[in-house]
DNA sequence: CAGTATCCTCTAAGATACTG
DNA sequence: CAGTATCTTAGAGGATACTG
């Protein structure tokens, strides 16, 4: 597990909750994973990978591990061969969804801005 | 202006608004700056710096520039000597505040978790 | 199917010093 | 007061190949 630690080092994060949250959520793919998972009861590893265009195995794995460590997602291994693993968001994570809705809507307008400029 | 570009490269961002938003907001200090500014009508450069513990000149300057480019903050230069510059958030940016409220509340619980563990 | 193991690159972040 | 100019570096992100 390398290049896998949190993006932002502590200290100010212990005072500012917004910074603290970014420390946990700020990876390139983390919010996208949460957002994607939030639309399903659960998703398998490769399903999730197919949903998130451009993500690689390592990045998906690393991101999932970080999110799991922070109790934002549940990992359920059905202990079968071939493997069957399902991911879902936790109740803790649900609290963030209203924020993600807003960010998603806001992001849409940014894509329009971007298109209009190019 | 180096090391100042957006954190996340395009492509998937053009499809996923959440990724797009992160591309603009995902810097280490950007949300903190917006969050801080949102509590005031406007703040001067050094006031802002004093509010955000740990931020350096370059990081504040760079972050403010990026945010201004994306029309998230207004920069008002009063053209005086000594300089007098005020920063405030734009109407565009206001739309994000409800999300920041949620993230802030969520972040508080994470700080508690962090404390309980150490 | 669901991941690891290696290796590498790039750049965001920062330290330090200086300025109109 | 409100920044800029330079230089450096840690580590996030990724390419590629492999595995139980």
């Amino acid at each position: 597990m390398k290049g896998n630690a949190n993006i932002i080092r502590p200290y100010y994060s212990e005072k500012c909750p917004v910074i603290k949250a970014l420390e946990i959520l700020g990876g390139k793919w983390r919010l996208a994973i949460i957002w994607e998972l939030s639309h399903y009861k659960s998703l398998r590893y490769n399903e999730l990978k197919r949903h998130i265009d451009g993500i690689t195995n390592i990045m998906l794995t690393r991101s999932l591990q970080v999110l799991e460590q922070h109790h934002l997602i549940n990992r359920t291994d059905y202990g079968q061969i071939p493997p069957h693993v399902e991911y879902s968001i936790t109740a803790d994570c649900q609290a963030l969804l209203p924020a993600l809705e807003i960010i998603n809507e806001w992001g849409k307008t940014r894509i329009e801005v971007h298109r209009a400029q190019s």
Side-chain angles (χ1 to χ4, degrees), chain A:
Chain A
M1 225 205 308
K2 229 194 117 234
N4 193 15
N6 289 321
I7 283 184
I8 294 168
R9 303 286 121 227
Y11 65 107
Y12 181 55
S13 72
E14 294 314 306
K15 294 186 197 170
C16 175
V18 170
I19 293 266
K20 183 69 185 177
L22 218 56
E23 192 183 311
I24 296 168
L25 304 169
K28 173 164 177 178
W29 304 101
R30 296 181 199 173
L31 282 189
I33 290 170
I34 291 172
W35 183 240
E36 206 54 48
L37 282 178
S38 76
H39 295 109
Y40 301 88
K41 242 187 74 192
S42 72
L43 284 176
R44 300 178 68 157
Y45 181 90
N46 279 312
E47 281 179 320
L48 193 50
K49 193 181 165 190
R50 263 175 259 123
H51 279 86
I52 302 176
D53 193 31
I55 197 167
T56 58
N57 275 332
I58 344 98
M59 289 317 294
L60 180 52
T61 301
R62 283 180 192 163
S63 304
L64 286 170
Q65 286 171 349
V66 171
L67 292 174
E68 197 195 353
Q69 280 164 26
H70 287 284
H71 310 291
L72 288 167
I73 58 170
N74 299 121
R75 178 181 182 279
T76 310
D77 188 340
Y78 289 89
Q80 298 173 359
I81 293 187
H84 182 179
V85 179
E86 298 260 358
Y87 291 94
S88 60
I89 64 172
T90 63
D92 244 34
C93 188
Q94 304 271 353
L96 281 170
L97 298 186
L100 282 183
E101 293 278 1
I102 294 165
I103 289 169
N104 188 57
E105 289 307 311
W106 186 87
K108 284 182 193 171
T109 69
R110 293 297 122 178
I111 290 175
E112 288 160 22
V113 167
H114 183 104
R115 290 228 173 90
Q117 282 172 352
S118 56

